Amino acid sequence: QSALTQPASVSGSPGQSITISCTGTSSDVGGYNYVSWYQQHPGKAPKLMIYEVSNRPSGVSNRFSGSKSGNTASLTISGLQAEDEADYYCSSYTSSSTSLYVFGTGTKVTVL
Amino acid sequence: EVQLVESGGGLVQPGGSLRLSCAASGFTFSSYWMSWVRQAPGKGLEWVANIKQDGSEKYYVDSVKGRFTISRDNAKNSLYLQMNSLRAEDTAVYYCARELPRFATFDYWGQGTLVTVSS
């Protein structure tokens, strides 16, 4: 089971919007609405930001939104803030015989 | 407040064993699936194993099958990962995470414990 493909880095200025893509296959991202997004600051535990493609857990800012088209899911951060600088990982349920879940390669978001 | 606190990591030689623990609090532990997820240094996340509320179902990523065993003690609100025949590629921070299978997601994570496999 290969990791989902994310861009290594994305950057933006404060107040701007950025989008992170997450590309998989019909066995994971494209086959199920079970895409999640996690934020991870250096040395910290991952934090759930989005689940089931576009749902936000309680307490997560509405500046974070998710979507999916075919085998590619996306996370958009609007009104970029300094505290959004972190690594972001997507994940999906997978029908692969080798694992139940697959994560993305990770994207470093830099606020310029 | 949900809290997950891992312990038991350390330096171990290739072929050795280690047992990780995760102490849960702030929620009804026996009502949730639980998972272990690992992250090699400077790398991405990898799901390792999960266990049903009563321990009757367990699943593993292929790379650890036959070497790792996940278990839980609901009376002690604790999750465990017994790791045998350790390899250099098992070096990682190991996180325990509360799993929501209905949404195929992990809503709370511990701070992790570092396992280093090296001679």
Side-chain angles (χ1 to χ4, degrees), chain A residues 34 36 38 40 43-48 50-52 89 91 93 97-101 103-105, chain B residues 37 39 43-47 50 59-62 65 95 99 102-107 109-111:
Chain A
Y34 289 140
S36 296
Y38 303 90
Q40 186 179 35
K44 301 296 186 181
K47 175 187 175 183
L48 178 64
I50 295 285
Y51 66 97
E52 278 192 310
Y89 293 92
S91 77
Y93 172 80
S97 61
T98 61
S99 184
L100 288 184
Y101 297 98
F103 284 90
T105 50
Chain B
V37 179
Q39 186 172 34
K43 302 296 184 181
L45 300 165
E46 179 184 38
W47 174 80
N50 68 356
Y59 300 94
Y60 302 90
V61 67
D62 266 14
K65 279 180 184 174
Y95 297 100
E99 182 180 339
R102 175 183 173 187
F103 305 119
T105 197
F106 309 98
D107 63 342
W109 300 61
Q111 288 301 309

Side-chain angles (χ1 to χ4, degrees), chain A residues 23-100:
Chain A
T23 301
T25 68
S26 58
S27 296
D28 38 65
V29 174
Y32 309 92
N33 287 325
Y34 289 140
V35 176
S36 296
W37 289 91
Y38 303 90
Q39 176 192 65
Q40 186 179 35
H41 287 106
K44 301 296 186 181
K47 175 187 175 183
L48 178 64
M49 305 302 285
I50 295 285
Y51 66 97
E52 278 192 310
V53 176
S54 59
N55 293 321
R56 276 188 312 276
S58 174
V60 172
S61 171
N62 59 8
R63 297 186 298 105
F64 292 84
S65 61
S67 63
K68 190 186 85 166
S69 177
N71 294 338
T72 298
S74 299
L75 174 71
T76 297
I77 309 175
S78 58
L80 200 62
Q81 299 180 1
E83 69 227 41
D84 300 332
E85 185 161 298
D87 293 326
Y88 291 82
Y89 293 92
C90 60
S91 77
S92 174
Y93 172 80
T94 174
S95 59
S96 163
S97 61
T98 61
S99 184
L100 288 184

